Amino acid sequence: QVQLVESGGDLVQPGGSLRLSCVAPGRTFRGVAVGWFRQSPGKEREFVACIPRTGGRASYRDSVQGRFTISTDDAKKTVFLHMNSLKSEDTAVYYCAYDQRIITSSLRNPDHWDYWGQGTQVTVSS
């Protein structure tokens, strides 16, 4: 079992920034896929960003491209989501995900990920 603990969610004004963190104690990020998803009330969980198992280039949903950045710090066992120029439509509970076997074509499908954190609330409002 992989434990994932998110933090960093907060209330922020439109145009502001936040950094979300997801710690995976005792786990490496080498050779595994890590991702961030989000879910708003009444909506399905949606893909935000991920880094594939191969360690290749990160990918993002179109609406956050250029504003969000996913990164990892293997020494700290942490994956980050840096969010800039936040908009009201970014309001959601954000979840990190971890998978040791997922293939590239499945990365954007939340049903294919094995491990999830508990979520952290991000609210963008004036």
Side-chain angles (χ1 to χ4, degrees), residues 35-98:
W36 287 95
F37 291 75
R38 66 188 181 188
Q39 189 167 18
S40 304
K43 294 186 178 181
E44 295 186 351
R45 192 168 297 190
E46 64 182 20
F47 167 79
V48 176
C50 72
I51 299 174
R53 288 192 297 118
T54 58
R57 191 164 61 180
S59 61
Y60 302 87
R61 71 179 298 108
D62 288 348
S63 63
V64 308
Q65 183 76 46
R67 300 189 297 123
F68 291 11
T69 303
I70 185 173
S71 64
T72 61
D73 184 328
D74 203 56
K76 296 182 179 179
K77 310 302 181 187
T78 303
V79 55
F80 300 100
L81 185 67
H82 305 260
M83 305 187 294
N84 297 317
S85 302
L86 283 161
K87 305 175 181 179
S88 58
E89 50 263 45
D90 295 320
T91 295
V93 177
Y94 283 71
Y95 298 89
C96 67
Y98 182 105

Side-chain angles (χ1 to χ4, degrees), residues 31-35 37 47 50-54 97-116:
V32 302
V34 291
F37 291 75
F47 167 79
C50 72
I51 299 174
R53 288 192 297 118
T54 58
Y98 182 105
D99 199 291
Q100 296 154 313
R101 301 171 299 172
I102 192 169
I103 60 176
T104 300
S105 60
S106 297
L107 286 169
R108 295 182 178 234
N109 187 337
D111 294 337
H112 290 204
W113 289 76
D114 283 343
Y115 301 105
W116 294 90

